[in-house]
Amino acid sequence: MAVKTGTSGIGDSLNRREDRRLVTGHGCFSDDFNSAGQVYAVIVRSPHAHAVIGSIDKSRALALSGVIAVFTGKDMLSTGVKPIPHTPFGLGKADIPMSNFDGSPIVVVQHFPLAHDKVRYIGEGVAVVIARSVDLAKDGAELVQVDYEVLASVTNTRKAAQANAPKLWSHLSSNVCLDAQLGNEEACKTVFDKAPCVVSLNTWVQRVTAMPMEPRAALAIYEPTSQVLTLHACSSGGNRLKNDLSTVLGISANRVRVLIGDVGGHFGARGMINTEDAVVAWSAMQLCQPVKWTCERHEAFLSDYQGRDLVVDCELALDEDGYFLAMRGSNISNLGAYIGNFQPLQKGVEIMSSIYRMPVVHFRARAVVSNTTPTRPYRSAGRPEVMFVMERLIDLAAAKYDFDRVEIRRKNLIAESELPYQNPFGMVYDSGAYHKVMDAALTLGDWSGFKSRQAEAKQRGKRRGIGVANYVDTATGAPRERAEITIHPNGKVEVVIGIISTGQGHERRRFQCDA
């Protein structure tokens, strides 16, 4: 809480205090934590995208001097370990609801820390080897023999949604686990049938992975006397991780402590429990000995939660003057092997029309599972993908029908006088000065002077281009509050609590009292 004198501090930048410690090598990250008597874990990972797990022979690994234990998914199951508690939908109250258009329930599948029946992506963990050193644990992992029955797999997002695609889950009718429809299909068709100008875009926004400088690590310490489990990990939410571990391991949350030091990189990849957190914690409880695991770079490519991966087929209808008439299409979000979160699909499709006036829409929004690493919400989940689609459609229309790229945007932008504005998907835009922002960007970028810069570059044998795009984001969760204390010369103390973002508006609450 900032203490200021005389002026409002809401929105002010705060000086950073941690930089000197970090840049001089005095940070304390997850791998910097150690405990006396700790042993080391290495995960045995599947080389197959899709396969039935047969027998797992531990004998050769256990015979290696220095190897303490080898645990499998079935070993964990035998002690009552529960699946990882994924939360498919976000918590934002402003988000539009989504459900299967046929009224069927949303599909949920179980994601255990170690696979015990089938592997569903390359790199999925099937066993953990624990030894007195990392090298011995690696040697032991190479000696674990797993009998796999390889199955047909599907990794392509569009193909995963097809009825004849290899199914990841035998109890499901397809790989589609959410199939929603938004908008008015008939009204959209009527507009498109008569529209003089139509452009289309079929695209795939490929998946990404965070690749932070600091790979993940976890150190679990279990105290048998007090029955308290302590986990040192890199995560953005200690409470969430504590509660999830409590659920997975079947122990009271007040017996779980999660300690998080400096976290090297996040942007969505470290927003929830990882399978290795649960494996290390459970192993420490079985051995009553501290267990440490440190991810290696090649493992991070395979096992870190990934992001994006959206296939979009979209059409935009316009009149002769370039005013938008309707928009329709299909969005398919690739969840990976397990159903972690629908938020990128949900938050994306609800603002497909961006900050433009769009009279009619219809979209089919599907989420699919595939034989790939699980995905989760990354920075501004779902929104950058659909902003790209909208802006690309506008440029395609400008090129095809000879509209000016700036003017077509300007005439379709929502005006300040129209706010609050409800877009055709049901999202409410509470504030914004979209024309002013775009004009400011054009001025800063010297849009009007581009042709002279382009001509100068051409004389030097270079090709210069320029583009313009608009962007909007949405609230990501519950209202966030920021408090400020102001001490006035008359001795009065003023406390202002500002609601930064609720998705439905902004407000400030002011309180005064004597010093």
Side-chain angles (χ1 to χ4, degrees):
M1 184 178 290
V3 177
K4 299 179 69 68
T5 56
T7 60
S8 171
I10 293 179
D12 289 354
S13 296
L14 301 178
N15 291 330
R16 292 170 61 93
R17 297 185 296 176
E18 69 273 23
D19 290 353
R20 179 177 293 276
R21 176 175 60 84
L22 294 174
V23 301
T24 56
H26 292 88
C28 190
F29 297 89
S30 303
D31 195 47
D32 294 323
F33 290 101
N34 293 285
S35 180
Q38 70 189 24
V39 290
Y40 300 86
V42 167
I43 308 295
V44 179
R45 301 188 181 277
S46 168
H48 305 292
H50 199 196
V52 174
I53 301 172
S55 61
I56 299 180
D57 186 355
K58 313 175 185 179
S59 59
R60 292 176 62 203
L62 290 170
L64 184 65
S65 177
V67 171
I68 297 169
V70 178
F71 297 123
T72 66
K74 288 184 177 179
D75 293 330
M76 296 187 74
L77 272 182
S78 68
T79 64
V81 164
K82 302 293 191 298
I84 291 173
H86 293 296
T87 305
F89 285 105
L91 303 176
K93 294 181 180 179
D95 291 321
I96 61 171
M98 289 181 65
S99 58
N100 287 325
F101 74 92
D102 62 1
S104 61
I106 300 294
V107 171
V108 177
V109 298
Q110 295 184 325
H111 182 193
F112 285 93
L114 289 176
H116 60 88
D117 55 351
K118 289 170 66 176
V119 290
R120 293 178 172 86
Y121 65 95
I122 292 175
E124 184 167 12
V126 296
V128 57
V129 176
I130 299 168
R132 301 197 184 282
S133 72
V134 174
D135 288 341
L136 285 170
K138 288 181 178 180
D139 289 342
E142 291 185 357
L143 296 175
V144 175
Q145 294 181 307
V146 184
D147 180 24
Y148 292 106
E149 178 190 342
V150 179
L151 304 173
S153 61
V154 58
T155 58
N156 179 277
T157 302
R158 192 184 298 276
K159 290 181 179 178
Q162 296 174 357
N164 61 350
K167 289 195 302 181
L168 273 73
W169 300 89
S170 58
H171 68 287
L172 303 181
S173 59
S174 74
N175 294 321
V176 178
C177 42
L178 173 64
D179 193 347
Q181 294 197 29
L182 302 97
N184 190 321
E185 185 175 13
E186 285 302 315
C188 231
K189 183 178 185 304
T190 300
V191 172
F192 270 89
D193 286 345
K194 298 177 181 180
C197 305
V198 175
V199 288
S200 62
L201 175 67
N202 304 316
T203 188
W204 170 50
V205 181
Q206 68 269 35
R207 65 172 52 201
V208 297
T209 188
M211 285 296 103
M213 292 176 64
E214 177 214 13
R216 289 182 292 119
L219 169 65
I221 304 165
Y222 183 68
E223 300 168 357
T225 304
S226 63
Q227 296 185 324
V228 170
L229 171 71
T230 300
L231 180 73
H232 296 272
C234 44
S235 172
S236 66
N239 254 352
R240 182 167 46 204
L241 182 50
K242 178 186 77 170
N243 293 329
D244 287 348
L245 279 174
S246 168
T247 299
V248 173
L249 301 176
I251 60 178
S252 173
N254 61 16
R255 288 171 46 204
V256 180
R257 299 173 66 232
V258 172
L259 302 178
I260 299 171
D262 297 315
V263 177
H266 175 31
F267 295 99
R270 294 177 174 178
M272 63 176 294
I273 185 173
N274 291 277
T275 56
E276 295 85 1
D277 297 328
V279 171
V280 169
W282 179 86
S283 300
M285 293 176 66
Q286 304 308 303
L287 299 174
C288 294
Q289 194 169 0
V291 178
K292 183 173 183 177
W293 170 79
T294 300
C295 185
E296 296 195 349
R297 182 61 65 196
H298 74 282
E299 278 187 293
F301 274 109
L302 298 173
S303 62
D304 282 4
Y305 288 109
Q306 298 177 357
R308 314 300 178 192
D309 204 334
L310 180 74
V311 165
V312 181
D313 299 316
C314 190
E315 291 181 291
L316 176 66
L318 311 88
D319 68 13
E320 297 92 337
D321 297 320
Y323 285 99
F324 300 158
L325 301 175
M327 189 181 191
R328 66 183 177 185
S330 162
N331 288 10
I332 307 174
S333 175
N334 192 338
L335 305 179
Y338 296 95
I339 300 170
N341 202 289
F342 298 134
Q343 192 171 328
L345 178 67
Q346 177 189 25
K347 286 186 172 295
V349 74
E350 67 190 14
I351 56 168
M352 279 298 301
S353 55
S354 185
I355 52 177
Y356 301 103
R357 201 178 301 103
M358 192 71 67
V360 185
V361 297
H362 178 259
F363 268 81
R364 185 181 185 186
R366 285 172 287 176
V368 297
V369 288
S370 69
N371 296 112
T372 58
T373 304
T375 59
R376 61 160 280 104
Y378 264 35
R379 191 66 170 238
S380 189
R383 281 85 99 194
E385 297 94 305
V386 301
M387 294 297 106
F388 158 72
V389 171
M390 184 72 248
E391 295 297 324
R392 184 68 186 129
L393 280 169
I394 295 172
D395 279 348
L396 289 171
K400 183 175 180 179
Y401 297 104
D402 199 27
F403 297 125
D404 180 88
R405 285 188 291 166
V406 171
E407 289 308 312
I408 189 176
R409 287 173 166 85
R410 183 174 282 125
K411 67 174 57 177
N412 286 290
L413 282 173
I414 301 165
E416 286 186 74
S417 60
E418 297 176 86
L419 299 172
Y421 174 86
Q422 185 176 55
N423 80 3
F425 297 97
M427 278 291 291
V428 175
Y429 294 33
D430 52 13
S431 60
Y434 307 132
H435 289 84
K436 291 178 182 177
V437 170
M438 187 179 75
D439 288 342
L442 292 170
T443 300
L444 288 170
D446 189 19
W447 182 270
S448 60
F450 168 70
K451 288 190 175 180
S452 62
R453 299 197 305 277
Q454 186 182 43
E456 185 276 332
K458 187 175 182 181
Q459 291 179 352
R460 294 184 288 109
K462 304 293 182 181
R463 291 185 177 271
R464 183 186 290 271
I466 194 170
V468 61
N470 287 296
Y471 186 91
V472 68
D473 215 311
T474 61
T476 57
R480 294 177 290 127
E481 295 187 353
R482 178 172 174 178
E484 170 214 342
I485 297 175
T486 303
I487 304 174
H488 293 283
N490 62 4
K492 292 286 186 180
V493 176
E494 183 179 49
V495 179
V496 178
I497 299 177
I499 306 295
I500 305 302
S501 174
T502 65
Q504 297 293 339
H506 306 273
E507 62 174 295
R508 299 174 73 189
R509 301 169 188 163
R510 187 180 303 270
F511 308 90
Q512 284 193 353
C513 60
D514 293 326

